[in-house]
């Protein structure tokens, strides 16, 4: 017998009831892997994926740690102090930011430079796992047998390459983990970091690779914009001998994400298949002209 899945609105209602907060008049901000709602009183409710209570608790820890270091970041409410479990999903509540826009490349670089210089929090963060959820995404992608095997083989090769990287102080820096312009909210006065689901201890090069991939794989970051990013951070990750491995891992993540999204939205199928073909060597050298998923 099929079990009816709760609607996002039903999950929000349960979360608000558990927190002793009214959900009347809630407005949906975004529905994706995490669902965000705007509540009255300048509060944002975030409902995560099933089984992600530990990740949500880490997000609260990181946000509070950044606040103690006076680094602008989204702030959780004081109550409840820990994620609420709503049908196996984490629910957290945050102060709403003022009107904002995504960060520029240079603004993102400046925020990352500040983040990477902070001492790690006393509550130990996990080591960066750049392969998290990739096996499941490959298996769920609806690929034929040969394609699935080739992607799993690529994943295995990259795991080996990652393990062989001679990265200095590999797990000593706090990295955001998903450092792109959408995770920096810029108001009229301040640039706020947000979304700490992937924050971990690892090589700072990982955070820089996302923008480099935008330049050299997508071909969507103009040369001048990328130069401004490198100047604001003080380094160009593409000059690192580790970059090819980090780039290949990031490209695999982006391809698997597109395959996952294409299963839910047919508009993304062509882009997902194109990315897959690029990884399998069917479209020549980079840049491949990938387009972002809207």
């Amino acid at each position: 017998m099929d079990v009816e899945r709760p609607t996002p609105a039903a999950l929000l209602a349960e979360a608000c009831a558990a927190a002793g907060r009214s959900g009347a008049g809630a407005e949906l901000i975004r529905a994706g892997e995490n669902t965000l709602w705007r509540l009255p009183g300048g509060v944002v409710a975030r409902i995560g994926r099933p089984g992600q209570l530990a990740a949500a608790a880490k997000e609260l820890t990181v946000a509070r740690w950044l606040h103690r270091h006076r680094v602008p970041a989204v702030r959780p409410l004081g109550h409840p102090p820990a994620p609420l479990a709503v049908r196996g999903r984490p629910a957290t509540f945050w102060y709403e930011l003022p009107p904002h826009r995504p960060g520029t490349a240079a603004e993102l670089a400046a925020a990352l430079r500040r983040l990477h210089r902070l001492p790690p929090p006393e509550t130990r963060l996990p080591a960066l796992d750049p392969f998290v959820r990739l096996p499941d995404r490959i298996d769920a992608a609806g690929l034929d047998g040969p394609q699935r095997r080739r992607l799993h083989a690529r994943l295995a090769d990259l795991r080996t390459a990652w393990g062989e990287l001679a990265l200095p102080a590999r797990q000593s820096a706090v990295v955001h983990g998903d450092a792109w312009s959408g995770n920096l909210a810029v108001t009229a006065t301040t640039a706020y970091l947000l979304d700490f689901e992937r924050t971990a201890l690892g090589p700072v090069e990982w955070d820089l690779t996302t923008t480099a991939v935008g330049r050299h794989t997508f071909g969507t970051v103009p040369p001048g914009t990328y130069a401004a990013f490198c100047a604001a951070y003080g380094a160009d990750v593409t000059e690192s001998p580790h970059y090819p491995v980090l780039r290949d891992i990031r490209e695999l993540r982006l391809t698997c994400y597109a395959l996952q999204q294409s299963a839910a939205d047919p508009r993304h199928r062509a882009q997902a298949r194109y990315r897959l073909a690029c990884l399998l060597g069917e479209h020549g050298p980079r840049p491949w002209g990938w387009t972002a998923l809207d």
Side-chain angles (χ1 to χ4, degrees):
M1 180 178 178
D2 292 337
V3 177
E4 185 177 353
R5 295 179 60 184
T7 65
L11 291 170
L12 174 68
E14 291 187 29
C16 287
R21 178 175 295 277
S22 172
E27 300 176 16
L28 181 64
I29 299 174
R30 185 176 74 238
E33 291 197 342
N34 298 289
T35 304
L36 275 66
W37 295 86
R38 180 180 293 110
L39 304 181
V43 173
V44 171
R46 176 173 173 151
I47 314 295
R49 302 186 308 275
Q52 295 299 305
L53 282 169
K58 180 186 68 175
E59 288 194 275
L60 297 179
T61 296
V62 171
R64 290 166 180 152
W65 168 72
L66 289 171
H67 180 64
R68 289 195 299 272
H69 283 275
R70 299 184 180 181
V71 174
V74 288
R75 287 181 58 199
L77 300 186
H79 177 79
L84 299 173
V86 180
R87 303 200 194 189
R89 301 168 184 261
T92 52
F93 296 84
W94 305 76
Y95 290 102
E96 184 178 9
L97 292 175
H100 55 271
R101 58 169 173 80
T104 65
E107 289 167 337
L108 176 62
L112 292 177
R113 182 181 176 91
R114 185 173 182 181
L115 172 67
H116 294 162
R117 290 180 169 183
L118 292 178
E122 293 180 1
T123 302
R124 184 168 177 80
L125 294 174
L128 176 69
D129 178 7
F131 306 103
V132 63
R133 301 186 67 207
L134 288 188
D136 292 341
R137 284 180 172 175
I138 292 172
D139 288 338
L143 303 172
D144 60 35
Q147 289 175 325
R148 185 178 299 108
R149 286 191 291 273
R150 290 179 71 181
L151 274 190
H152 274 298
R154 188 176 185 88
L155 172 60
D157 289 344
L158 288 173
R159 283 189 188 276
T160 299
W162 167 259
E164 293 175 348
L165 289 181
L167 290 164
R170 178 170 175 169
Q171 296 180 1
S172 63
V174 178
V175 295
H176 183 279
D178 189 19
W180 67 292
S181 62
N183 281 336
L184 187 72
V186 181
T187 69
T189 60
T190 308
Y192 295 87
L193 286 167
L194 58 147
D195 193 356
F196 307 116
E197 192 172 31
R198 296 282 179 254
T199 300
L201 298 178
V204 299
E205 290 95 333
W206 179 250
D207 277 349
L208 306 180
T209 295
T210 300
T211 303
V213 165
R215 169 77 188 105
H216 298 288
T217 300
F218 281 78
T220 53
V221 176
T225 300
Y226 186 68
F229 175 84
C230 295
Y233 188 84
D236 182 352
V237 69
T238 65
E239 297 175 356
S240 166
H242 310 128
Y243 175 69
V245 172
L246 300 176
R247 174 202 63 203
D248 289 354
I249 296 172
R250 185 66 184 169
E251 289 172 349
L252 179 60
R253 289 203 65 83
L254 291 165
T255 298
C256 290
Y257 176 72
L259 289 168
Q260 173 186 284
Q261 294 301 101
S262 71
D265 190 337
R267 294 178 304 159
H268 301 319
R269 288 177 185 169
Q271 177 62 200
R273 295 291 173 170
Y274 177 63
R275 291 185 187 185
L276 176 61
C278 290
L279 289 195
L280 299 182
E282 299 173 12
H283 287 284
R286 302 169 184 83
W288 287 320
W290 291 1
T291 57
L293 306 184
D294 51 1

